[in-house]
Amino acid sequence: MRNKAFHRLLSQVNTLTPTQSKQLQNQLNQKCSIKTLEDTTGEVSHCPHCGTTSVYKWGYRSGFQRYKCKECHKTFNALNKTPLARLRHKEVWKKYMQDLINGLTIKQSAKHCKIANSTSFRWRHRMLKAAQDIKAKELHGIVELDETHFLKSEKGNHTLDRKPHKRGGWAKRGLSLKQHTPVLIARDRNGNTTDAILENSQDGTIAQVMLPLLSRNDVLLCSDSKSSYKSFANIFDYEHETINASKEHTRGIYHVQNVNAYGSRLKRWMVRFHGVSTKYLNSYLGWRRIIDTQKELTPDSLLKLIASHKEVKNMFPPLMRI
C-alpha cells in the first residue's frame, strides 16, 4: 500500500461503525497470526508430498505464501503436514492458544472464541497431536518414578458393551486394569519429565519405556517399594533407592516428592474435564507436560510450537525406482 492510501485509511478509522471496527480487528489479528506462523516455519525448502527440493513460489492464498513442486506439481504452504493444516478462522487462533494455556474445556473455548463446539473439538485434538511428542528424551542424575491411574472412559463411544454411565463412573475399590489405565511418570531433578500409558505394570513394560531414556553412567532411580521397580533396576543393573511412604517421606537426597507433586498437579488439573476419554488420554498428558515444563508459555510461543510439529510420514524423498 502506498503512503497516501495508508494515511487516508488511518484518517477513516474513527468513522468506522462498531461492526466495521470488529471486522478490521479480525483482519489485523489474522495478519499477525499468519506473520507469526511464517516466521516460525521459515521459507519452505522441500515438497511435503514427494520430498524433492524443486519447489518455487506460487502466489498467495488466505494470506499465506504458496509453493508448487516441479516434480509432483502439487501446491502447498508452510502449514502442510502440520496440525494446523486446513484449519479456518486464523484470526482467533491466538485466543484459542490462550484457552489451551488456561486449560479451558471444549465448550468454554468455543464460547470464548465464538466458534462451534465441533470446531473447538476438532482444533483441540488436532493441536494436541504436537503435545504427544513433546517430552524428555533423556533423564539424568536422580530419576524419580511413580505411577498414577485414571479411570477408563468410553466417552463418545456409541457402541458400548455395557450400560453407559449417566454422570461419569466410580470404580470398585482397589486398582484393576479392567477399570483403570496406569500411567508411568518419570522426572529427574532438573525438571525433565516424561510419561507413558502402560499396558500393565510389569518390569518388562517399564523397561520398554525407561531404557531409551536412561544413560548407563549417571542415573540413580528413586521410587516407592513396588516390586516391579526393584525388578527392573536389578535386571538392568541400575542403582536404586526405595522410599516406604508409610514409614518415611524422605531420606536425605533420596525421595519421590518431585514426581509425586507432578502427579498431584496432573490429577487436580484433569478434574475440570469430568473424565477424559481413554482414547485421548495421551494427548491430555502431553498438554499438561507443556503447561508444566515450558517456561513463560505465551499464545505466540505455543502457536509456534504447534506449527513447528511436522508429520514424520511422507517427509523424505521417495526411493529410486530400479
Side-chain angles (χ1 to χ4, degrees):
M1 178 180 286
R2 295 185 177 182
N3 287 335
K4 288 185 178 180
F6 176 68
H7 289 297
R8 186 165 57 252
L9 174 63
L10 289 180
S11 65
Q12 296 175 348
V13 169
N14 292 332
T15 63
L16 297 177
T17 65
T19 302
Q20 292 171 336
S21 298
K22 186 176 181 180
Q23 291 175 349
L24 178 60
Q25 184 63 48
N26 288 339
Q27 289 294 325
L28 292 175
N29 289 339
Q30 178 173 336
K31 188 69 176 177
C32 292
S33 297
I34 292 173
K35 184 66 170 62
T36 300
L37 291 172
E38 290 189 327
D39 289 344
T40 300
T41 56
E43 190 168 329
V44 174
S45 60
H46 66 277
C47 175
H49 302 289
C50 67
T52 60
T53 57
S54 301
V55 299
Y56 57 96
K57 294 181 179 180
W58 187 256
Y60 287 83
R61 185 173 182 179
S62 300
F64 279 97
Q65 174 69 60
R66 290 193 66 77
Y67 301 86
K68 189 171 184 178
C69 177
K70 294 181 180 179
E71 299 294 331
C72 65
H73 306 292
K74 292 183 178 180
T75 60
F76 52 91
N77 61 27
L79 295 183
N80 273 62
K81 304 297 182 180
T82 72
L84 299 175
R86 298 183 180 275
L87 294 185
R88 305 294 187 259
H89 305 297
K90 300 176 181 63
E91 68 277 3
V92 296
W93 280 2
K94 291 176 67 173
K95 185 183 291 187
Y96 197 83
M97 294 301 105
Q98 187 61 55
D99 292 346
L100 287 177
I101 294 172
N102 295 337
L104 298 189
T105 64
I106 288 174
K107 290 185 178 180
Q108 289 171 339
S109 296
K111 183 177 180 181
H112 181 224
C113 296
K114 297 181 180 179
I115 56 178
N117 288 340
S118 59
T119 301
S120 180
F121 177 86
R122 183 169 60 255
W123 285 14
R124 169 71 49 87
H125 294 292
R126 284 278 296 277
M127 292 176 179
L128 291 184
K129 282 185 178 180
Q132 298 181 21
D133 299 328
I134 300 174
K135 58 176 66 177
K137 306 302 181 184
E138 292 182 342
L139 299 173
H140 303 279
I142 299 178
V143 178
E144 302 177 18
L145 302 176
D146 193 24
E147 281 182 30
T148 187
H149 294 77
F150 294 92
L151 186 65
K152 286 187 176 180
S153 172
E154 296 289 338
K155 182 187 289 187
N157 187 355
H158 298 284
T159 58
L160 293 174
D161 56 358
R162 57 167 174 80
K163 291 184 178 180
H165 301 302
K166 293 184 177 180
R167 295 289 182 183
W170 297 93
K172 295 181 180 179
R173 188 171 183 178
L175 295 177
S176 168
L177 290 179
K178 292 183 178 180
Q179 298 179 332
H180 291 86
T181 301
V183 175
L184 175 66
I185 303 175
R187 186 178 176 94
D188 65 20
R189 297 294 170 83
N190 294 321
N192 300 315
T193 305
T194 189
D195 50 48
I197 298 175
L198 303 178
E199 294 182 1
N200 55 63
S201 300
Q202 304 302 317
D203 52 354
T205 308
I206 294 174
Q208 293 178 6
V209 176
M210 296 304 301
L211 284 180
L213 304 173
L214 302 177
S215 63
R216 301 299 306 178
N217 301 322
D218 62 342
V219 171
L220 185 148
L221 303 179
C222 276
S223 71
D224 56 25
S225 55
K226 189 173 181 178
S227 59
S228 57
Y229 296 141
K230 296 179 181 179
S231 178
F232 165 71
N234 290 333
I235 292 173
F236 296 99
D237 196 26
Y238 282 106
E239 192 174 353
H240 182 219
E241 294 288 339
T242 60
I243 304 297
N244 191 337
S246 61
K247 297 180 180 180
E248 56 184 355
H249 294 288
T250 180
R251 191 169 66 252
I253 62 173
Y254 306 125
H255 59 78
V256 289
Q257 292 180 349
N258 289 327
V259 70
N260 285 343
Y262 178 84
S264 296
R265 292 195 299 272
L266 173 64
K267 296 298 284 283
R268 289 197 304 269
W269 181 77
M270 283 286 197
V271 169
R272 69 188 68 190
F273 303 112
H274 305 290
V276 172
S277 173
T278 304
K279 177 181 178 181
Y280 298 117
L281 179 58
N282 201 27
S283 295
Y284 280 76
L285 293 175
W287 183 7
R288 182 60 211 181
R289 281 196 309 272
I290 290 178
I291 294 175
D292 199 85
T293 60
Q294 296 286 326
K295 297 181 179 179
E296 299 180 359
L297 190 62
T298 64
D300 281 337
S301 64
L302 183 56
L303 192 61
K304 290 180 180 180
L305 194 65
I306 294 172
S308 62
H309 179 76
K310 294 284 186 179
E311 293 182 3
V312 176
K313 60 181 180 180
N314 297 332
M315 290 302 295
F316 300 99
L319 296 175
M320 294 181 61
R321 296 179 180 178
I322 301 175

